[in-house]
Short mmCIF file of all heavy atoms in Angstrom, two decimals:
data_model
loop_
_atom_site.label_atom_id
_atom_site.label_comp_id
_atom_site.label_asym_id
_atom_site.label_seq_id
_atom_site.Cartn_x
_atom_site.Cartn_y
_atom_site.Cartn_z
N ALA J 229 -13.69 14.24 -0.66
CA ALA J 229 -12.92 15.45 -0.96
C ALA J 229 -11.77 15.13 -1.93
O ALA J 229 -11.47 15.93 -2.83
CB ALA J 229 -12.38 16.09 0.32
N VAL J 230 -11.15 13.97 -1.77
CA VAL J 230 -10.09 13.56 -2.70
C VAL J 230 -10.67 13.43 -4.11
O VAL J 230 -10.13 13.99 -5.06
CB VAL J 230 -9.43 12.23 -2.25
CG1 VAL J 230 -8.52 11.66 -3.34
CG2 VAL J 230 -8.65 12.43 -0.96
N LEU J 231 -11.79 12.72 -4.24
CA LEU J 231 -12.42 12.56 -5.56
C LEU J 231 -12.83 13.90 -6.14
O LEU J 231 -12.65 14.14 -7.35
CB LEU J 231 -13.65 11.66 -5.43
CG LEU J 231 -13.43 10.19 -5.71
CD1 LEU J 231 -14.69 9.39 -5.40
CD2 LEU J 231 -12.99 9.95 -7.13
N GLN J 232 -13.40 14.77 -5.33
CA GLN J 232 -13.79 16.09 -5.82
C GLN J 232 -12.57 16.87 -6.31
O GLN J 232 -12.63 17.53 -7.35
CB GLN J 232 -14.53 16.86 -4.73
CG GLN J 232 -15.90 16.29 -4.42
CD GLN J 232 -16.51 16.83 -3.14
OE1 GLN J 232 -15.80 17.24 -2.21
NE2 GLN J 232 -17.83 16.82 -3.06
N GLY J 233 -11.47 16.77 -5.58
CA GLY J 233 -10.24 17.44 -6.00
C GLY J 233 -9.69 16.87 -7.30
O GLY J 233 -9.27 17.61 -8.20
N VAL J 234 -9.70 15.54 -7.42
CA VAL J 234 -9.23 14.90 -8.64
C VAL J 234 -10.14 15.26 -9.81
O VAL J 234 -9.68 15.49 -10.92
CB VAL J 234 -9.09 13.37 -8.46
CG1 VAL J 234 -8.74 12.69 -9.77
CG2 VAL J 234 -8.03 13.05 -7.40
N ALA J 235 -11.44 15.36 -9.56
CA ALA J 235 -12.38 15.76 -10.61
C ALA J 235 -12.09 17.18 -11.08
O ALA J 235 -12.17 17.47 -12.29
CB ALA J 235 -13.83 15.63 -10.12
N ARG J 236 -11.75 18.07 -10.15
CA ARG J 236 -11.37 19.44 -10.56
C ARG J 236 -10.10 19.42 -11.42
O ARG J 236 -10.01 20.13 -12.41
CB ARG J 236 -11.16 20.33 -9.33
CG ARG J 236 -12.45 20.83 -8.71
CD ARG J 236 -12.21 21.88 -7.65
NE ARG J 236 -11.43 21.42 -6.51
CZ ARG J 236 -11.92 20.75 -5.47
NH1 ARG J 236 -13.21 20.48 -5.41
NH2 ARG J 236 -11.14 20.36 -4.49
N LEU J 237 -9.14 18.59 -11.04
CA LEU J 237 -7.93 18.45 -11.85
C LEU J 237 -8.27 17.91 -13.23
O LEU J 237 -7.72 18.36 -14.24
CB LEU J 237 -6.92 17.51 -11.17
CG LEU J 237 -6.30 17.98 -9.86
CD1 LEU J 237 -5.41 16.88 -9.29
CD2 LEU J 237 -5.50 19.26 -10.07
N ALA J 238 -9.17 16.93 -13.28
CA ALA J 238 -9.56 16.33 -14.56
C ALA J 238 -10.22 17.37 -15.46
O ALA J 238 -9.95 17.41 -16.67
CB ALA J 238 -10.50 15.15 -14.32
N ALA J 239 -11.08 18.20 -14.89
CA ALA J 239 -11.72 19.26 -15.69
C ALA J 239 -10.67 20.22 -16.22
O ALA J 239 -10.73 20.65 -17.38
CB ALA J 239 -12.76 20.00 -14.85
N SER J 240 -9.69 20.54 -15.40
CA SER J 240 -8.61 21.42 -15.84
C SER J 240 -7.78 20.76 -16.94
O SER J 240 -7.40 21.41 -17.91
CB SER J 240 -7.73 21.78 -14.64
OG SER J 240 -6.72 22.68 -15.01
N ALA J 241 -7.51 19.45 -16.80
CA ALA J 241 -6.75 18.73 -17.83
C ALA J 241 -7.49 18.78 -19.16
O ALA J 241 -6.87 18.98 -20.21
CB ALA J 241 -6.51 17.28 -17.40
N ALA J 242 -8.81 18.61 -19.11
CA ALA J 242 -9.60 18.65 -20.35
C ALA J 242 -9.53 20.03 -21.00
O ALA J 242 -9.48 20.14 -22.23
CB ALA J 242 -11.05 18.28 -20.06
N ASN J 243 -9.50 21.07 -20.18
CA ASN J 243 -9.46 22.44 -20.71
C ASN J 243 -8.09 22.84 -21.24
O ASN J 243 -7.99 23.67 -22.13
CB ASN J 243 -9.91 23.43 -19.64
CG ASN J 243 -11.38 23.30 -19.31
OD1 ASN J 243 -12.17 22.85 -20.13
ND2 ASN J 243 -11.74 23.68 -18.11
#
Side-chain angles (χ1 to χ4, degrees):
V230 169
L231 266 174
Q232 291 167 333
V234 174
R236 281 190 298 277
L237 293 176
S240 183
N243 291 334

